[in-house]
Each structure stands twice: as structure tokens, then as C-alpha cells.
Amino acid sequence: MATEQQGGPKTAAKIAPATGKLGIMVVGLGAVATTFIAGVEAVRRGLAKPIGSLTQMGTIRLGKRTDNKSPLVRDFVPLARLDDIVFTGWDIFEDNVYESAAHAKVLEKDTLLQLKPYLEAIKPLPAVFDQYYVKRLHGTHVKKGKNKRDLADQVVADIRAFKKTVDRVVMIWCGSTEIFIEPSAVHQSIEAFEAGLENNDIGIAPSQIYAYAALSEGVPFANGAPNLTVDIPAMIELSKKNAAPICGKDFKTGQTFMKTVLAPAFKARLLGVSGWYSTNILGNRDGEVLDDPESFKTKEESKLGVLDYILQPDLYPDLYKDIFHKVRINYYPPRGDNKEGWDNIDIFGWLGYPMQIKVDFLCRDSILAAPIALDLVLFLDLARRTPELRSIGIQEWLSFYLKSPQTAPGLYPEHDLFIQSMKLKNTLRHIMGEDLITHLGLEYYD
Ligand SMILES: NC(=O)c1ccc[n+]([C@@H]2O[C@H](COP(=O)([O-])OP(=O)(O)OC[C@H]3O[C@@H](n4cnc5c(N)ncnc54)[C@H](O)[C@@H]3O)[C@@H](O)[C@H]2O)c1
């Protein structure tokens, strides 16, 4: 009888244990990063719960539904413990993490005061920055170098110095959204990229200098912004060569998170969509950066891709061929980090009769992003310790967290949140030698 599970490889190769300290190098100590760092410390001290984090609060079902076996994810796979995490980072401003968190105004003063000595001690290293790539920022705490290769070497030196104090390192970009860059010749191979570093090729953005340094040092790299960064052949090659896992880009937090929940539901029920208008107001520094058309273009590309892939207009022309999809982001300072995202969705049903859905998500951007940052670094560290995953480059199973999942060349990305969730959990089952869960379940009716 066909079962709800599928042949698990009971001989999974051994995953190295998560012993010792895990160093997390955060690029950009702004709203998301400081909410992430302060949040981890608050949880460690028992002041709050890690809500929104699958690695900390999620469970995973193993075996049959009748087995009643659903351990916590963190008890099932060998993840680094929060107590073993050590943070450092870079920023273009000299503010320490306490000052930057106070400036971001995401967390309440009382919470920050309780954590003040810890947060104050995390001071940014000077950043690799060039205003050409983020027009709205004027960096003052910036590395100087004779060319981009020299800057990459300085980041490598930062990584090596940090490595002396911890056992393993992961890097995560929580920096600003850079201008839109199309892949070009310089991105096509490691050799071309390295020549570009020497020649100061304009196609190499600061985020790529950090990523190059990380991957060269065997350090996994996650990208919270929609920047091109590792989405190029040179970085995929480097990631595989040095067993330094990468994943997609741009934290999937507010509006796109909702979109990748709703759109699959419409498709599953064969409801048509004629229009989807999404607009946002937000007033944090991210909003200010995105007010620049060139940075907005990068974000827009990341946000727009989602619907086409989920709705598959080629397969369902009657339902989705003529969809009008628009995304706007408006900088509105009074709201700070508390973004409001509106969606107006024009759908149609039986015999083509129109209906409308309105979503008004009054969210908190960094509160949604922080647990994603945590899960990504913990899972990338796990991938680096897992023989089957460490040298494959792109970790598609982490698409769950990202607006722009990265895939093998020629493969379309899965954007549907529930497919992504199943893929993630089945990957965990797989690497632990457990049966995969298919949800078939005919065996219960034998
Ligand atoms: N919060 C969310 O829901 C969310 C969702 C998806 C993506 N993002 C992305 O995450 C990133 C961070 O968001 P945020 O709200 O924390 O923004 P932020 O402006 O508060 O923080 C970004 C920080 O990066 C620093 N920075 C910029 N360029 C740098 C460089 N080259 N090196 C080092 N530091 C640099 C800035 O000085 C700033 O402190 C943005 O790109 C944003 O688009 C956020």
C-alpha cells in the first residue's frame, strides 16, 4: 500500500556537530540587524520569546500521523544554540548597536536599556561603501583602498581576525538596497570577477565585495536585500568551490509574504486574477533609500517576480494572462519602521463574475525580518556542516524565507510559501535520514 511517507535514506552521512561558538558577521547594522541582535540577546536572557522563528519554536512531524512524533526543529537537527552565537558587523556609520537600535526606534526604550551594555559593546567595523550604489546615504565610517581587490582583502582580514575568536562564521547582508545592476561579463566566472576587482569594474557593488570575501573564506552568505550580490555565476562557482552555502535574496516579510500565501490559494481554486495593486508607506531609513528610483528598481524587480511564477499564466491563460500587477513603495517618515502595506486584488470566479479583496497589513518591518535573519544564519551554518549540502552552492530549501529564491540555472523558483515550507522540512528530514512526508496517506485506510 502506498504510504504517506517516502523512502528515507537511513544512511545519511554524518552532520558535524554544532560545537563551540558561531560567529555571525552582519553587514549593515541598521533597523533589521539591531532588532535581530537585540532580540537574540533578549531571548537568551529569558526576557522574550523568539516568535516567528522556525528554528526556535517550530516543530517537525516525523513518521506516520499516528506516531505522534513532532520534535522541535532545534532538537531534531544539530543547530547552533543561541547561547553560542557571537555577533560582529560593519556599518558606514560609527554608531554602536545600542545607538543604532535607538535610532531605528523599533524596540522600546525599556527593552534596549536592559540590554545596553551588551549592545554598546558591538561596534561596527569600517564598511566597504560607495555612494554610487546607494544614492541616499553618505557614509563616514568607510574603508579606503587602492581598488576593489584591496577592499576585498580588507574584508578577508576582518573575517580572519573574527575567526580567531569563534569556531565557525556565517555572514548576512542586512545593509541597504543598492541600485539595480544587471549581470554582465564581469559576473560570469571567478576569473572575470577577480579581474574586475583589480580594475574597479563598475558592475561590482560593495555587497559583492563582502560576499566574495566571505565565500573565498568558506563562509556561508545570506542576503536580506534584493541586491544582485551572489545571484551570478562567479559567486555560485565560488560557493561550490569553497563549500560556502548561499541562498536567495530579500527577506520575505510583509506584503510579499501575504502574496505568496494568497496567490497559491487562488490558483489552487482556479480563481482568476485581473489585477493586483500593492502599495506601501514606510518611514525608516530603508524607506528613504527605496525612495531613490534606482534602489526602488532593485526592490521592484524582486517584488514583481513572485506572481508570474506562482500563477503560471502560460498554463492558465484564461485566469492569469492579463493580470495588471503594480507595486509602489512610498517614503512616509511619520510611520518609521511600522509599515502599512495595502493590497487591492481584483479576482473573478464562476462564469467570470468579478470580486475584490483588500488586505491592509499594518506590520512592523524589522520585527518580521529579525527571525528570518536568525533562521537563515542557523540553517546556513547547518548546511555548511552537512556533507550532502555544503558543496552544492545554492540552498534552494531556504527559499521559504526569501522574496527572490535562487535556483540552479534554468530552473524556475518556487514562490508558494507552502511548497517552500514542505521543501524545507523535507530537506531536514532527508539529511537526518528520516522518511519524507508526501501527505498521500492511503495506508490509514487499509
Ligand atoms: N525589514 C524588512 O521587512 C525587510 C524585508 C526585506 C528586505 N529588507 C532589506 O533589508 C535591508 C536592511 O533593512 P533595514 O530596515 O535594516 O535598513 P536600514 O537602512 O535601517 O539599515 C541598513 C544599514 O546598512 C548600512 N549600510 C548600507 N550600505 C552598507 C555597506 N556597504 N556596508 C555596511 N553597511 C552598509 C546602513 O548604514 C544602515 O545602517 C534593506 O536592504 C531592506 O530593503 C528588509
Side-chain angles (χ1 to χ4, degrees):
M1 172 55 81
T3 70
E4 202 176 11
Q5 299 126 276
Q6 205 175 61
K10 294 293 182 194
T11 53
K14 200 120 183 67
I15 301 172
T19 37
K21 297 283 177 205
L22 173 64
I24 300 181
M25 304 193 88
V26 188
V27 192
L29 295 169
V32 171
T34 57
T35 307
F36 166 36
I37 296 170
V40 166
E41 182 61 7
V43 172
R44 290 200 281 221
R45 293 196 193 177
L47 301 173
K49 295 245 184 284
I51 294 174
S53 162
L54 175 69
T55 60
Q56 303 308 304
M57 301 190 77
T59 62
I60 182 162
R61 184 191 125 196
L62 303 176
K64 293 182 175 193
R65 260 184 276 167
T66 44
D67 291 348
N68 283 327
K69 200 170 157 202
S70 292
L72 283 168
V73 168
R74 65 184 153 94
D75 292 336
F76 174 55
V77 284
L79 295 176
R81 297 174 328 130
L82 294 193
D83 282 341
D84 290 330
I85 288 179
V86 180
F87 287 104
T88 186
W90 296 266
D91 205 284
I92 65 170
F93 301 113
E94 274 183 67
D95 293 352
N96 62 46
V97 170
Y98 175 78
E99 290 163 336
S100 178
H103 173 85
K105 295 196 179 67
V106 176
L107 300 177
E108 283 172 10
K109 258 195 193 135
D110 286 354
T111 310
L112 288 180
L113 277 174
Q114 290 184 72
L115 307 171
K116 191 172 177 187
Y118 173 78
L119 298 178
E120 266 179 342
I122 307 173
K123 299 185 173 75
L125 297 157
V128 175
F129 182 71
D130 179 342
Q131 207 192 1
Y132 172 76
Y133 300 92
V134 187
K135 301 278 191 273
R136 296 285 157 101
L137 297 183
H138 305 265
T140 49
H141 187 52
V142 173
K143 291 189 196 305
K144 291 190 179 48
K146 70 175 186 330
N147 57 17
K148 292 183 178 179
R149 153 63 67 189
D150 185 4
L151 293 169
D153 289 344
Q154 293 180 44
V155 177
V156 166
D158 290 343
I159 296 171
R160 289 189 182 166
F162 188 51
K163 268 184 173 170
K164 290 197 179 121
T165 66
V166 294
D167 296 271
R168 302 177 313 283
V169 176
V170 175
M171 191 185 292
I172 182 164
W173 175 274
C174 292
S176 307
T177 301
E178 297 172 329
I179 58 170
F180 184 65
I181 298 177
E182 303 247 33
S184 60
V186 74
H187 302 128
Q188 299 309 311
S189 67
I190 299 177
E191 295 71 37
F193 190 87
E194 288 177 343
L197 286 173
E198 295 287 347
N199 311 330
N200 273 334
D201 193 294
I202 200 166
I204 299 181
S207 65
Q208 292 178 312
I209 296 178
Y210 289 99
Y212 171 80
L215 301 181
S216 301
E217 289 297 295
V219 169
F221 182 92
N223 184 8
N227 307 333
L228 184 65
T229 320
V230 296
D231 212 353
I232 55 171
M235 296 290 184
I236 298 172
E237 207 183 321
L238 199 56
S239 160
K240 286 184 180 169
K241 186 174 153 210
N242 295 332
I246 52 175
C247 45
K249 57 191 180 189
D250 205 3
F251 299 131
K252 177 152 92 172
T253 49
Q255 199 162 58
T256 310
F257 166 53
M258 287 295 150
K259 220 169 246 182
T260 61
V261 170
L262 291 173
F266 302 146
K267 191 175 81 172
R269 285 289 170 88
L270 286 312
L271 292 169
V273 181
S274 57
W276 199 313
Y277 184 85
S278 303
T279 187
N280 298 275
I281 55 173
L282 84 161
N284 56 14
R285 192 183 280 153
D286 186 31
E288 193 179 349
V289 166
L290 293 174
D291 206 36
D292 171 60
E294 290 188 81
S295 286
F296 174 67
K297 168 97 175 120
T298 310
K299 190 59 117 180
E300 189 184 27
E301 290 282 319
S302 181
K303 280 177 165 267
L304 280 178
V306 170
L307 279 191
D308 251 15
Y309 284 116
I310 293 180
L311 297 176
Q312 297 177 295
D314 291 347
L315 281 183
Y316 302 98
D318 288 338
L319 302 175
Y320 307 120
K321 168 170 66 57
D322 295 322
I323 177 169
F324 184 92
H325 186 198
K326 186 89 192 158
V327 178
R328 305 293 314 148
I329 297 178
N330 303 292
Y331 178 50
Y332 180 62
R335 283 296 170 87
D337 201 67
N338 296 351
K339 180 161 80 183
E340 183 159 1
W342 285 282
D343 285 274
N344 169 76
I345 315 159
D346 284 288
I347 66 169
F348 53 93
W350 187 241
L351 311 181
Y353 279 75
M355 294 168 261
Q356 289 183 18
I357 298 173
K358 314 277 180 189
V359 180
D360 186 5
F361 190 4
L362 289 103
C363 65
R364 292 172 188 266
D365 246 13
S366 302
I367 293 293
L368 292 170
I372 294 183
L374 174 63
D375 284 1
L376 280 174
V377 295
L378 292 182
F379 279 143
L380 281 175
D381 172 51
L382 173 72
R384 164 95 174 152
R385 285 181 285 109
T386 303
E388 215 183 333
L389 300 178
R390 66 198 308 259
S391 298
I392 63 169
I394 301 163
Q395 307 292 315
E396 204 197 315
W397 57 286
L398 295 177
S399 302
F400 177 63
Y401 295 107
L402 300 155
K403 281 205 234 344
S404 298
Q406 200 170 351
T407 55
L411 201 60
Y412 71 81
E414 282 295 357
H415 282 282
D416 175 330
L417 190 86
F418 300 102
I419 294 178
Q420 293 173 333
S421 156
M422 188 140 93
K423 193 181 191 64
L424 189 157
K425 288 194 171 180
N426 268 339
T427 304
L428 298 180
R429 293 181 186 109
H430 176 76
I431 61 172
M432 295 304 291
E434 285 285 336
D435 290 342
L436 306 188
I437 291 188
T438 64
H439 299 288
L440 180 61
L442 291 179
E443 76 270 32
Y444 302 119
Y445 299 91
D446 272 356

